Amino acid sequence: MDVLKKVPVREQDPKVRATNFDEVCLGYNMEEAQEEASRCLKCKNAKCMGGCPVSINIPGFIKEVQEGNIEAAANIIAESSALPAVCGRVCPQESQCEGVCIRGIKGEPISIGKLERFVADWSRENGFVPKKAEVMNGKKVAVIGSGPAGLTCAGDLAKLGYDVTIFEALHQPGGVLLYGIPEFRLPKDSVVKSEIENVKKLGVKIECNVVIGKSVTIDQLLSEEGFSAVFVGSGAGLPKFMGIPGENANGVFSANEFLTRNNLMKAFRDDHDTPIARGKKVAVVGGGNVAMDAARTALRLGAETYIVYRRSEAELPARVEEVHHAKEEGIIFKLLTNPREILVDENGWVKGMTCVEMELGEPDASGRRRPVEKAGSEFTIDVDTVIMSLGTSPNPLISSTTEGLEVNKWKCIIADEKNGKTTKEGVYAGGDAVTGAATVILAMEAGKAGARGIHEYLSNK
């Protein structure tokens, strides 16, 4: 064994997986997990813990894996995270815990994410149940949204003895974990639903088909329904578009709608009637993880698929692993390319997309080099479907129906990063509803902050 190199993780063959929706990464078995865990230096001043937004005791759980004590490892992770099987699959570990791993200075960092996934999958297969609060405190808290922020906040509050109810607008809980991330990255029945069940085992109740702002308002929850505090983790589900000619044509979709039809409503399965665009040539505009998810989904539905992104590969915001998988599967990358117009046929359907070549100029406010058009470089891509993956913003329904809840110019709720406190007493918020679209783990960090804020508020009230 070369201690400087990760134990390789088994994956589906690219040619096979490009035709199915089964999970790409197959994970470690016990022997592989113990071998990978043995590479850990067990640092006393563990930088990996500082790199983890939810502060999991990483050296602690890895030591237990190495010794074969997987239940002990699961208990250590459960102290900090309600969604380990999710995080082990979709967290950007390379820029967080693994990015600061000491082993990674001279060799490859420890595969912390794959080890977390191994422990979580073992837990599910062996019936591991997280520990409930021994004493309830009689105080009710409402959580709006059952995505990663809401589930994390609810789980932490339940462990502190609160009576927690999650209100979910859709017909199934899970939020972006269910509608946004494809099955081949995050299996719904075996992983997402199992982790939601574990949150429910802590005593959390979940009510679906409740649209806060229509079914009931935050003020009514606080004044009429007996809740002492509210956490808003409603996400950012409102898609953004470019505003270019032809964008209203038939065959143009937001990635949000396209993925929701496929992931939540199972359009890829023959036993479901959900309609979805099955274009022959599909362009996905954008370069984030959602763009990769949409492109890889379109590919599996039978399309020749392009990623169209206005910067270079070095600036792609998507995880390196997702870009690598997309390339392996045959996605065509049109980088330093920006759409100008969507071309429409006489029946109102997409028939192509006019683009212009870009080059990188001086850095902009984000620190990335600003893309600048090359004069006279227009060209046309032959496509019949365009999927816009340009980010999302929060739906304004909650803020517009809650007096005293202030938002910024992007319609994001204003909340304190340390404790989730908003401008309205008793109301806390976190995740994409506050930051705009971000990662699962950052939403979880915000959920934990909100739980701390609510606990402090109600303890002092």
Side-chain angles (χ1 to χ4, degrees):
M1 176 191 175
D2 183 350
V3 295
L4 296 181
K5 291 199 169 167
K6 291 180 177 182
V7 173
V9 68
R10 291 163 292 121
E11 294 179 343
Q12 271 200 81
D13 178 84
K15 287 189 174 65
V16 175
R17 71 179 190 240
T19 64
N20 67 50
F21 279 85
D22 298 335
E23 191 168 13
V24 168
C25 179
L26 304 176
Y28 285 145
N29 59 28
M30 176 70 88
E31 185 182 352
E32 291 163 339
Q34 287 184 281
E35 191 175 334
E36 180 61 23
S38 72
R39 298 179 58 235
C40 179
L41 296 170
K42 318 292 187 298
C43 306
K44 285 183 180 166
N45 179 22
K47 292 188 182 303
C48 55
M49 285 183 66
C52 173
V54 297
S55 304
I56 291 170
N57 179 358
I58 293 168
F61 97 75
I62 289 180
K63 178 176 177 288
E64 299 296 351
V65 172
Q66 184 180 347
E67 295 173 3
N69 303 325
I70 312 305
E71 186 171 352
N75 275 311
I76 290 170
I77 294 173
E79 289 170 9
S80 304
S81 174
L83 306 170
V86 170
C87 286
R89 286 166 166 84
V90 303
C91 260
Q93 289 99 2
E94 65 279 358
S95 61
Q96 294 175 347
C97 54
E98 293 180 20
V100 292
C101 172
I102 297 297
R103 173 62 84 191
I105 293 173
K106 288 187 176 174
E108 294 179 343
I110 307 301
S111 284
I112 297 167
K114 300 293 188 287
L115 290 173
E116 182 182 19
R117 170 193 164 147
F118 168 76
V119 173
D121 289 354
W122 180 95
S123 301
R124 181 179 67 250
E125 290 155 12
N126 289 273
F128 171 80
V129 177
K131 292 171 182 163
K132 286 179 71 168
E134 291 179 11
V135 181
M136 301 301 287
N137 61 27
K139 295 175 181 174
K140 287 173 64 179
V141 177
V143 172
I144 301 170
S146 63
L151 290 169
T152 299
C153 183
D156 278 13
L157 287 170
K159 285 189 274 190
L160 290 167
Y162 291 92
D163 177 358
V164 185
T165 302
I166 296 176
F167 295 100
E168 169 55 50
L170 295 174
H171 60 286
Q172 289 183 44
V176 72
L177 305 176
L178 208 63
Y179 71 73
I181 303 174
E183 196 82 25
F184 55 80
R185 279 218 293 141
L186 187 62
K188 307 307 167 209
D189 289 337
S190 60
V191 175
V192 177
K193 290 182 181 176
S194 168
E195 301 233 300
I196 291 170
E197 283 304 311
N198 277 345
V199 172
K200 288 166 75 173
K201 285 172 186 172
L202 293 170
V204 174
K205 299 181 283 293
I206 302 179
E207 292 188 24
C208 293
N209 300 308
V210 180
V211 181
I212 302 297
K214 282 206 180 285
S215 311
V216 64
T217 65
I218 286 178
D219 287 313
Q220 286 173 319
L221 291 175
L222 290 168
S223 63
E224 298 172 21
E225 303 286 339
F227 290 99
S228 303
V230 175
F231 177 80
V232 182
S234 51
L238 197 63
K240 296 176 183 175
F241 288 89
M242 290 186 73
I244 59 175
E247 210 168 22
N248 291 328
N250 297 322
V252 180
F253 299 87
S254 68
N256 196 309
E257 179 190 349
F258 181 73
L259 290 171
T260 299
R261 286 174 181 270
N262 203 72
N263 302 335
L264 174 68
M265 302 169 74
K266 306 293 184 236
F268 69 93
R269 281 173 40 172
D270 292 337
D271 59 346
H272 281 60
D273 294 329
T274 307
I276 196 166
R278 290 179 181 261
K280 292 185 171 64
K281 292 190 174 183
V282 175
V284 178
V285 181
N289 289 327
V290 176
M292 300 304 145
D293 287 344
R296 295 172 70 197
T297 296
L299 180 88
R300 283 161 170 76
L301 292 173
E304 178 180 292
T305 308
Y306 301 90
I307 287 278
V308 178
Y309 182 62
R310 64 190 185 138
R311 289 182 163 99
S312 73
E313 184 165 349
E315 286 81 29
L316 277 169
R319 292 183 68 189
V320 172
E321 182 178 66
E322 299 309 316
V323 176
H324 169 67
H325 282 156
K327 285 182 173 178
E328 277 190 329
E329 291 164 9
I331 304 289
I332 302 158
F333 281 72
K334 296 273 188 188
L335 301 173
L336 288 168
T337 300
N338 205 37
R340 272 273 190 82
E341 180 180 358
I342 295 166
L343 305 175
V344 185
D345 69 15
E346 62 278 7
N347 296 315
W349 287 86
V350 173
K351 67 174 184 178
M353 188 164 70
T354 300
C355 298
V356 62
E357 291 179 18
M358 311 293 283
E359 54 191 357
L360 295 178
E362 294 301 311
D364 62 13
S366 71
R368 294 183 298 174
R369 291 171 65 193
R370 186 187 299 277
V372 182
E373 286 188 10
K374 279 188 191 174
S377 64
E378 275 195 8
F379 67 99
T380 300
I381 304 178
D382 176 24
V383 292
D384 57 18
T385 306
V386 176
I387 298 170
M388 293 292 180
S389 181
L390 306 167
T392 52
S393 58
N395 189 311
L397 180 62
I398 287 175
S399 57
S400 66
T401 56
T402 310
E403 197 173 335
L405 188 65
E406 291 182 13
V407 296
N408 61 23
K409 63 181 179 181
W410 298 286
K411 305 292 185 206
C412 295
I413 296 169
I414 295 169
D416 190 317
E417 194 177 310
K418 296 190 295 295
N419 59 16
K421 190 175 183 344
T422 70
T423 54
K424 185 176 177 71
E425 187 182 345
V427 178
Y428 293 71
D432 291 3
V434 170
T435 60
T439 61
V440 167
I441 190 69
L442 290 176
M444 290 175 64
E445 179 184 28
K448 292 186 85 65
R452 283 195 306 272
I454 288 170
H455 181 51
E456 185 181 359
Y457 168 67
L458 295 179
S459 299
N460 295 330
K461 196 174 178 185

